[in-house]
Amino acid sequence: MITTIDGMQIIRVWKKEPDSWVLMPELLDRIRTRCNESGGNGEALATRMEAEFIVCQESIAAWVVVENGRIVGHTLLTCDSFNLVPELFVAQLVAPGVPRAVVQAADDEISDWARGKGYHRLVMITRRLNLRAWRKLFGFQMFRAILYRELG
């Protein structure tokens, strides 16, 4: 299903959506770039996304916002299969300049899809400076602290 708002299309990227095949190379480039900018392994994540797409798995899911044939925003979700409560992690949400109404419509579509798959929670890991925005705009609440250390 493709939703159109204000001339922008919200598309779930998956094997059974014909438009996804054309969008996949650009999406993989975006995933690589964003992951590398965040200090992750962009190539590994993009390779996993590509493999999941080809075999039509759903441990990674992606939605894009397209305007004039180009991706202007994307959301990448991964599932946490080790938790007792089914959770989806928002691994990337990149939509600079995309109108709030479009982002909200995409969030609604993602939430409906996740509920239909039996997920009970969306978890987003974000920087402190973004906390207030995500809480205000989409109702995210503080859930747990994420700690890390470098293994350098």
Side-chain angles (χ1 to χ4, degrees):
M1 179 175 102
I2 297 175
T3 303
T4 303
I5 298 175
D6 295 335
M8 295 183 175
Q9 297 177 306
I10 301 166
I11 302 171
R12 177 175 169 222
V13 178
W14 69 311
K15 186 177 185 174
K16 296 179 183 177
E17 172 57 56
D19 290 335
S20 296
W21 290 88
V22 174
L23 296 169
M24 194 57 155
E26 185 180 357
L27 175 60
L28 293 174
D29 285 343
R30 289 175 63 95
I31 289 170
R32 256 185 227 98
T33 299
R34 179 68 177 139
C35 189
N36 288 338
E37 288 172 353
S38 301
N41 184 338
E43 191 58 43
L45 183 57
T47 298
R48 181 172 171 214
M49 176 68 198
E50 186 174 30
E52 296 273 338
F53 177 80
I54 290 168
V55 297
C56 211
Q57 292 289 328
E58 291 187 332
S59 62
I60 294 181
W63 275 259
V64 296
V65 176
V66 176
E67 183 177 41
N68 298 323
R70 303 276 308 160
I71 297 174
V72 294
H74 75 271
T75 300
L76 182 64
L77 304 162
T78 64
C79 71
D80 179 2
S81 58
F82 298 108
N83 209 335
L84 297 176
V85 177
E87 295 178 336
L88 275 176
F89 281 85
V90 180
Q92 291 184 1
L93 194 154
V94 182
V98 175
R100 181 176 176 196
V102 176
V103 175
Q104 184 64 59
D107 180 67
D108 291 345
E109 190 172 312
I110 290 165
S111 297
D112 289 345
W113 174 84
R115 276 189 292 278
K117 295 292 181 185
Y119 290 101
H120 302 288
R121 181 180 296 137
L122 283 177
V123 178
M124 176 181 284
I125 299 172
T126 188
R127 296 182 181 120
R128 281 191 180 275
L129 61 104
N130 297 330
L131 285 176
R132 184 173 290 145
W134 293 121
R135 288 165 66 180
K136 183 178 177 184
L137 294 175
F138 299 105
F140 280 94
Q141 299 178 24
M142 293 299 290
F143 171 57
R144 58 180 147 181
I146 304 293
L147 303 174
Y148 77 94
R149 66 184 170 100
E150 298 295 331
L151 298 175

